[in-house]
Amino acid sequence: MNKVAIVTDSTAYLAPDVRDELSIEMIPLNVVIGEDSYQEEVDLTTSEFYKLLKETEKLPTTSQPAIGHFVETFENLKTQGYEEIVTIHLSSKISGTYQSAMSAASMVEGIRVEGFDSEISCAPQGFYALEAGKLAKEGADATAILARLNEIKTSQKAYFMVDSLQHLHRGGRMNAAQLVVGNLLKIKPILHFVEGSIVPFEKVRTEKKAVARICQLLEEDVTTGGTYEVTVIHANRLQSAETIANDIQSKFDNVNVGISHFGPVIGTHLGEGSLGVGWYKVSQ
């Protein structure tokens, strides 16, 4: 039985106690605000970030971890006696983090490193890391873990709405034409990931309608049977997230609903006020 380590990056936004319980290593991405650079979830908490975001005139920038950080982590895990590593990261279409991890893997000898491109981010990325951590703890090898992650990918969905399109456009995640149309119509676009890229799903006029539509999409899945893991995600809007989570939990008896957040790196691109819901089928 191989000893398997699980690595993910900070944009999974897993709580430190959860990471500790499942022995999940976390590699932080970086946020630059003004003249200062921070490692998210290490030097900068989410609440601190949104406070600074209100105080800064210039939009923060983000960057992927250095390859050396991955190399050091992989080497340390090898020293600890691990024989395999499964490293799980946010979509390679929106960040170079996955590529950095794979470049680092090619530099480390004596341990098998398998990468998994989640093709998403935030709590849905965290779903993969949590499942991998549980399986590794139970003694599964890297091949079995990757098979399960790919199985989850077939049922996983996530939709989110932003309060303003400006952050996505300025961060290069939405083109100018989409921005102009959105601003002219004063819409609240529902966005989702398609093959790892953020694209519009539907355009609605109000936040209330956007949330209702996302919950309708969830209902279409959960009413087909099976059990589901659901997470409501928010950008400094805990009370709104709690209301949505409570509504979902009270409506369906085959779901487990949690709450997560859009941290500094993803919050830079979505902006404060964003809300989302992600889910996947746990069992038939």
Side-chain angles (χ1 to χ4, degrees):
M1 182 176 71
N2 286 357
K3 187 178 178 184
V4 184
I6 306 301
V7 177
T8 192
D9 59 71
S10 56
T11 65
Y13 301 120
L14 298 177
D17 60 331
V18 173
R19 296 199 307 265
D20 290 344
E21 181 184 352
L22 295 174
S23 301
I24 297 172
E25 293 286 328
M26 186 273 286
I27 305 288
L29 275 75
N30 309 297
V31 180
V32 178
I33 304 175
E35 301 298 318
D36 300 312
S37 179
Y38 305 88
Q39 295 181 89
E40 75 165 348
E41 304 284 288
V42 177
D43 306 321
L44 183 68
T45 67
T46 297
S47 59
E48 290 169 342
F49 165 74
Y50 285 112
K51 183 176 182 295
L52 288 172
L53 192 62
K54 289 185 176 76
E55 298 170 354
T56 184
E57 295 182 2
K58 186 178 179 182
L59 184 68
T61 59
T62 62
S63 64
Q64 67 207 47
I67 292 175
H69 198 154
F70 281 107
V71 171
E72 182 181 5
T73 299
F74 296 162
E75 291 283 5
N76 286 341
L77 290 169
K78 182 176 69 173
T79 301
Q80 293 172 37
Y82 287 98
E83 300 167 80
E84 297 181 317
I85 298 171
V86 176
T87 189
I88 301 163
H89 300 291
L90 77 163
S91 173
S92 61
K93 296 289 183 63
I94 63 172
S95 171
T97 302
Y98 175 80
Q99 287 89 343
S100 291
M102 292 299 89
S103 295
S106 68
M107 302 176 188
V108 179
E109 298 180 351
I111 187 168
R112 175 190 176 193
V113 181
E114 294 288 345
F116 183 80
D117 183 350
S118 72
E119 298 185 319
I120 205 160
S121 187
C122 298
Q125 175 190 335
F127 288 153
Y128 293 119
L130 290 172
E131 185 70 9
K134 292 171 186 174
L135 289 171
K137 201 170 184 178
E138 293 169 2
D141 64 12
T143 299
I145 291 171
L146 289 169
R148 173 57 179 152
L149 300 189
N150 282 307
E151 182 183 7
I152 290 174
K153 192 175 278 190
T154 64
S155 69
Q156 186 184 102
K157 295 179 183 177
Y159 299 89
F160 54 99
M161 51 143 286
V162 296
D163 196 51
S164 168
L165 297 174
Q166 292 290 342
H167 287 266
L168 278 170
H169 173 61
R170 289 167 65 188
R173 269 66 180 180
M174 177 167 283
N175 65 41
Q178 292 169 327
L179 174 69
V180 170
V181 170
N183 286 343
L184 286 175
L185 297 178
K186 299 189 183 304
I187 60 170
K188 294 288 185 184
I190 298 173
L191 308 170
H192 65 152
F193 279 84
V194 175
E195 296 180 349
S197 296
I198 299 172
V199 299
F201 175 73
E202 283 183 4
K203 301 179 180 70
V204 295
R205 291 298 182 93
T206 67
E207 177 183 302
K208 184 177 180 180
K209 289 181 179 180
V211 172
R213 178 60 173 133
I214 292 172
C215 289
Q216 180 186 30
L217 293 165
L218 170 64
E219 182 175 5
E220 290 172 2
D221 277 1
V222 301
T223 53
T224 63
T227 59
Y228 287 79
E229 192 71 31
V230 181
T231 299
V232 180
I233 317 161
H234 69 97
N236 206 29
R237 294 188 60 184
L238 178 59
Q239 187 172 356
S240 297
E242 288 175 338
T243 298
I244 296 168
N246 289 335
D247 287 346
I248 293 171
Q249 192 68 74
S250 65
K251 192 172 183 179
F252 307 106
D253 58 9
N254 60 332
V255 302
N256 178 55
V257 185
I259 294 175
S260 186
H261 58 276
F262 294 114
V265 166
I266 303 303
T268 291
H269 299 293
L270 298 186
E272 187 174 12
S274 301
L275 290 166
V277 183
W279 64 88
Y280 75 96
K281 180 180 279 192
V282 178
S283 62
Q284 298 295 332

